[in-house]
Amino acid sequence: MRCDKIGVMKKYITTAIPYLNARPHIGHAMDYLLADVWARHETIGGHEVRMSAGADEHGTKVEQKAREAGVSPQQFVDDLAPTFRVMIAKLNVGVTDYVRTSDPEHARRCQEIWRRLDAAGVIYKSKYQGWYCSGCESFVTETEARAMDYQCPDHQKPLEKVSEENYYLRVSKFTDQIREFVRTAVVPEFRGREILELIKDGAQDVSISRPLEKLAWGVPVPDDDAQVMYVWVDALSNYITALSYPDDDFAADFWPAHVQVVGKDILRFHAIIWPAMLLALGLKLPRTLLAHGFINVDNTKMSKSLGNVVDPIELVEQYGVDAVRYFFLRHIPTFEDGDYTTEKFIAAYNGELANDLGNLVSRLANMIDKYDVPSAWRDSQSRIAAEVAEFHKFMKKFEYHRALETIWTAVQSCNRYIDETKPWALAKTDSAEMAQVLNVLWGDIMIIQALLTPFLPDAAAKIRAVFDGDTVQPAPILFPKVDI
Ligand SMILES: [Zn+2]
């Protein structure tokens, strides 16, 4: 991270690349939203931000789905990839770089990365005998397998025993640095501790290729026709190929990543294998690895077979982007699993967005306009300084849901202040006092919109347009109430 101007830094934020074997769901959206809040937060701080996203398009599951659909794997992912881009756009997520792993440019860069890993002496060939989850398309170490009782918790099926000749990445060589990385970079801490437990006897080497006959749809291993790269080198590399690594135009000043957002299910790959790759390549390690939980629907895991998959695109079309951003950023705890139901969504929409925030904005704009209040808000004494301090404390810890909660404490405090001071009564008895009260609120709503900007960019901009001046503009209805 190099400083160009005083204090201006280049910050790179990444989102995990979803596996393209099904349509996007709200779990994918969580990744983008968490990354986008941080990107906007840093942009507001005056920094130069790049954010990457992408699609993980190789692997046997894609091959299989394509076969079922009667199309080529490339055709299959070409058909599916745009829906993810649509979701990113619909969620108002500011992605600057996008990598599809089936892009020949990405494949070429991966092969060069492989060569560099090989030159660094961390790739060797060996026979793999051990555990594999075909659902995760993931080899599982003996320690991990034992910890999950030989059954994949995410796929609810027994691990398979496989035996094949593969290339390996010498992850074990970096155990000490990986431990240090996990201690300093993984957020939240309790997830870091789970990873440290997994590698308490040392990190284990991992297979990074598969025989061509088992996996044809992937990046060929350079100089070996019989082997195809297996997820790690191909998928994890997207975070650096997005910056053109290892080409001459590699945007090295954006590396290391400031924040990498991942789901808890893929944290162990990002916390163990990824730093090993980076260390072998001589690259710095990411500053923060932020792991979030899963979203359940009605306290049940989302699944296609249960028919309870929530489509974020439909939600945005029905309720608007900021309502969707609000619910998932506030009511799904940033680090834990959370629960979505239509009832909870509508209760938050009507209660917190339409009532608390919407009413504050419209009441305040109406009174300032009606009583012709002379503008003095820039010099008014804020009543929400404590909430602002709390907000920043939570943002530093990436506890977005609590940061948003704090903004709502401030919003509710403003509403209470209106109810208690009754500016409409003061207008008749003490217009100086009335003007003072409304200017305090005027200043505070400007603070609130600033805090809201990374979370609800559209609503914040609308509030700013109403209040940012010496007079107010007519307030639009930010969140029209919906019927239950
Ligand atoms: Zn699995």
Side-chain angles (χ1 to χ4, degrees):
M1 239 174 291
R2 195 187 63 201
C3 295
D4 283 336
K5 283 174 267 171
I6 303 276
V8 177
M9 287 189 276
K10 295 186 189 303
K11 303 221 175 179
Y12 180 47
I13 294 154
T14 73
T15 59
I17 56 173
Y19 193 53
L20 279 209
N21 66 339
R23 283 179 57 79
H25 58 68
I26 202 71
H28 300 120
M30 206 60 207
D31 235 59
Y32 298 128
L33 292 179
L34 295 175
D36 190 58
V37 168
W38 197 253
R40 288 177 187 273
H41 177 74
E42 293 292 351
T43 304
I44 292 165
H47 302 298
E48 197 184 332
V49 174
R50 276 173 78 161
M51 177 170 30
S52 77
D56 182 7
E57 305 188 329
H58 288 132
T60 44
K61 266 192 298 185
V62 167
E63 246 177 345
Q64 197 183 324
K65 289 266 179 182
R67 205 176 310 120
E68 286 165 20
V71 295
S72 69
Q74 186 68 60
Q75 187 62 52
F76 183 81
V77 292
D78 284 352
D79 290 345
L80 206 50
T83 59
F84 283 83
R85 308 282 319 245
V86 168
M87 175 173 73
I88 289 169
K90 287 266 182 195
L91 290 168
N92 200 1
V93 168
V95 167
T96 56
D97 299 276
Y98 196 84
V99 175
R100 291 183 55 189
T101 58
S102 72
D103 178 347
E105 278 294 280
H106 171 77
R108 181 184 58 73
R109 287 171 179 151
C110 280
Q111 289 185 320
E112 182 52 32
I113 288 169
W114 182 287
R115 286 195 184 95
R116 289 184 183 206
L117 292 170
D118 195 23
V122 294
I123 292 181
Y124 64 94
K125 208 169 190 181
S126 175
K127 194 163 185 86
Y128 178 80
Q129 263 177 315
W131 302 102
Y132 183 77
C133 171
S134 58
C136 298
E137 289 192 66
S138 165
F139 294 104
V140 180
T141 65
E142 182 59 39
T143 317
E144 289 167 347
R146 208 181 314 127
M148 56 178 83
D149 207 14
Y150 304 94
Q151 165 152 335
C152 173
D154 297 327
H155 293 95
Q156 302 284 316
K157 59 181 179 185
L159 300 171
E160 299 157 34
K161 204 144 206 179
V162 299
S163 168
E164 61 191 41
E165 175 112 300
N166 294 328
Y167 287 102
Y168 276 73
L169 183 70
R170 213 179 285 281
V171 179
S172 56
K173 183 183 167 186
F174 302 102
T175 295
D176 291 344
Q177 289 125 298
I178 292 170
R179 283 195 184 120
E180 184 56 24
F181 170 68
V182 171
R183 276 188 213 107
T184 52
V186 173
V187 175
E189 225 181 286
F190 73 86
R191 297 248 182 257
R193 282 196 298 273
E194 290 168 8
I195 300 292
L196 290 173
E197 181 63 24
L198 278 180
I199 55 170
K200 67 173 192 292
D201 301 324
Q204 295 184 30
D205 296 351
V206 293
S207 164
I208 51 169
S209 77
R210 299 205 71 195
L212 179 66
E213 68 271 14
K214 298 239 175 97
L215 173 71
W217 176 236
V219 181
V221 168
D223 313 315
D224 186 340
D225 298 340
Q227 293 272 325
V228 170
M229 277 186 213
Y230 165 69
V231 290
W232 315 123
V233 177
D234 175 7
L236 290 169
S237 291
N238 95 86
Y239 303 124
I240 46 178
T241 65
L243 300 177
S244 299
Y245 185 88
D247 296 349
D248 290 342
D249 58 343
F250 171 46
D253 42 1
F254 278 91
W255 192 261
H258 188 57
V259 179
Q260 298 206 265
V261 180
V262 299
K264 65 175 185 182
D265 54 329
I266 54 170
L267 174 65
R268 64 184 204 275
F269 313 126
H270 287 78
I272 301 172
I273 301 167
W274 181 222
M277 280 174 62
L278 291 169
L279 288 162
L281 293 169
L283 291 172
K284 286 187 178 156
L285 302 184
R287 299 288 181 97
T288 302
L289 199 49
L290 172 60
H292 62 83
F294 288 158
I295 302 174
N296 295 318
V297 175
D298 251 326
N299 288 311
T300 310
K301 193 180 157 158
M302 246 188 299
S303 88
K304 231 171 144 182
S305 50
L306 286 174
N308 65 348
V309 175
V310 178
D311 182 345
I313 299 174
E314 278 172 23
L315 270 187
V316 168
E317 279 165 1
Q318 199 169 352
Y319 300 102
V321 60
D322 278 356
V324 175
R325 290 175 66 106
Y326 177 78
F327 182 85
F328 289 99
L329 290 165
R330 169 147 186 211
H331 291 286
I332 304 296
T334 312
F335 305 141
E336 314 271 349
D337 291 353
D339 191 45
Y340 169 91
T341 65
T342 309
E343 292 72 26
K344 283 183 190 170
F345 184 92
I346 291 180
Y349 180 98
N350 282 339
E352 291 151 23
L353 292 173
N355 274 347
D356 293 345
L357 181 63
N359 280 351
L360 173 62
V361 167
S362 62
R363 286 211 283 179
L364 193 54
N366 289 343
M367 287 189 288
I368 292 170
D369 178 54
K370 183 173 172 188
Y371 304 128
D372 216 0
V373 175
S375 154
W377 61 270
R378 290 178 185 86
D379 306 315
S380 65
Q381 179 81 41
S382 173
R383 290 180 56 261
I384 59 170
E387 286 85 356
V388 173
E390 281 276 279
F391 172 87
H392 289 299
K393 210 179 76 194
F394 289 132
M395 286 304 280
K396 267 206 187 94
K397 295 192 284 184
F398 300 97
E399 292 185 59
Y400 298 155
H401 64 295
R402 300 188 71 183
L404 263 175
E405 203 175 285
T406 308
I407 300 177
W408 252 258
T409 307
V411 167
Q412 286 157 354
S413 162
C414 289
N415 278 324
R416 262 199 318 277
Y417 188 55
I418 295 177
D419 296 341
E420 286 161 12
T421 54
K422 301 186 176 56
W424 53 91
L426 286 175
K428 292 174 196 150
T429 57
D430 189 345
S431 63
E433 174 76 8
M434 179 270 303
Q436 205 209 332
V437 164
L438 289 178
N439 269 298
V440 166
L441 289 159
W442 196 343
D444 282 348
I445 194 77
M446 284 299 289
I447 293 171
I448 287 167
Q449 66 78 21
L451 302 185
L452 275 177
T453 299
F455 298 91
L456 315 180
D458 286 354
K462 284 179 190 163
I463 298 171
R464 197 156 56 243
V466 173
F467 293 99
D468 191 10
D470 292 325
T471 56
V472 293
Q473 304 302 315
I477 296 175
L478 295 175
F479 299 97
K481 274 204 173 186
V482 295
D483 293 332
I484 298 163

